Amino acid sequence: CEYIWNGFDAKATNVELKYEADELGNITSMSITDDGEGINRESLHETFGCYQDSIKKRSFQWSSQVKGNQGRGRYAFNCFADKAEWDTVFKRVGDLLCHKLYIDQGDNHHFDDGEASALKVVHNRQTGTVVSFSNVNIPVDALESEDFTEYLCKEYAVFLELNKAFGKQLLINGQRLDYAHVIAESEQKPFTIEIEGETQTFEATFIRWNNKMKENYSAYFLDEEKIEKYEKTTSFNRKDTEFHHSVYVESAYFNDFEFDKDESDLFGTYKTPKDKFFVKLCAKIKEYLREKEKLFVRSVGAANLI
C-alpha cells in the first residue's frame, strides 16, 4: 500500500499492482506501475537520500490526497523482497527523461543511481514509474485472498470516491478495484443557505460505509471542477456507534475558497472557513449527520445488536 500511495501522491490517475506466480504459488514477478509525474532525478537526495524524511511533508497537501509523507514508504519492500528497482520517466523543459534506481534490503540509507542508470531522453513513453521487486516472499494466495481485497477497500475507498471525477483507479492485474460492496448507503442531499438576501447552493453526497475506513469521518469540500479545497472532520470520530461515514460537498462557492486565511476578505475576492455561509453550512451538515446517525442506530444498529 505504501507504494500504491506513492503512485497516487505523484498525481497518477492509474496505479496497478501486477504479479505472476508459478504452479507452487510462489510469486515470480511483482511490480507497481503508475502514470504519475515520475521521480525527478535532480531531487533524489530530498526523496531517496533521506530515510524517514519526505519532501512531501514540507509542503502542504490535504491528508486525504497525500499519504506517503513519512519517508519510509520507499523502503517498505524490506518486509517482503530482497531488492526494489525504480524505472521512472519525468518531464524537464519539454523533454521526457528516463532513469533507474535501486535499493537493496537492509541498506535503507543508500540507493544506487550509477552510470548504468544515467538520464536518457525517451520519445515512446509517458511520465510515470514502475517499481519492481526481486525475490518476493509473499505467497500468491495472500494477494488473491478476500482479506487483501477488503484491506485495499478500507485503504482506498474514501480516496477513490473523492477523486472519481478524475477517473482515478487502482488495478490488480488489469482488474479495477471495485469498492461498491463496502458502501452500505449513499444519498444525495442539497443544501440551500440564504443570508441577508444572498443565496448559496451546495450538493452533498453522504456515504455510510460497511466498515471503518482508514480515514477519519470527514466532510470534503470541492469546487466546481471537483477539486478538493478543504476538509473537516465531523463530530463523530470519538463515538462508537459504528456509524462509518464520509460526506462530499460540491459547490461553485468553493471556487475561490482560501482555507489558510485567518479572516474573511472584506472585498469578497475569496472566502474562508470563518465565512458566514460556510459556518452555517457546517452546522447544517452536522445536524443532517446527527439525524442520519439516529436512523442508523434505530434500524441497522438495533438489528445487529438483537
Side-chain angles (χ1 to χ4, degrees), residues 115-170:
E115 294 181 4
S117 60
L119 278 176
K120 299 175 184 177
V121 177
V122 292
H123 302 285
N124 58 344
R125 295 177 62 180
Q126 296 179 332
T127 61
T129 301
V130 180
V131 54
S132 304
F133 308 101
S134 301
N135 297 323
V136 177
N137 56 31
I138 303 173
V140 71
D141 290 349
L143 299 183
E144 294 177 348
S145 68
E146 185 177 335
D147 286 344
F148 183 59
T149 302
E150 291 305 303
Y151 188 92
L152 293 177
C153 288
K154 289 181 180 180
E155 185 81 21
Y156 298 104
V158 174
F159 170 82
L160 293 173
E161 183 68 18
L162 179 60
N163 292 279
K164 66 180 182 180
F166 303 104
K168 291 190 184 257
Q169 58 181 352
L170 169 59

Side-chain angles (χ1 to χ4, degrees), residues 215-260:
E215 305 288 345
N216 287 324
Y217 303 141
S218 297
Y220 305 94
F221 302 93
L222 295 78
D223 66 13
E224 245 181 341
E225 302 297 321
K226 302 185 186 299
I227 297 172
E228 182 180 7
K229 303 302 283 287
Y230 194 61
E231 64 184 51
K232 180 181 175 69
T233 56
T234 67
S235 58
F236 296 84
N237 282 286
R238 295 185 180 180
K239 300 184 74 173
D240 191 23
T241 61
E242 297 191 2
F243 180 58
H244 313 305
H245 62 278
S246 301
V247 182
Y248 305 90
V249 185
E250 299 177 24
S251 175
Y253 168 86
F254 295 107
N255 289 355
D256 50 6
F257 196 83
E258 299 285 348
F259 69 91
D260 57 350

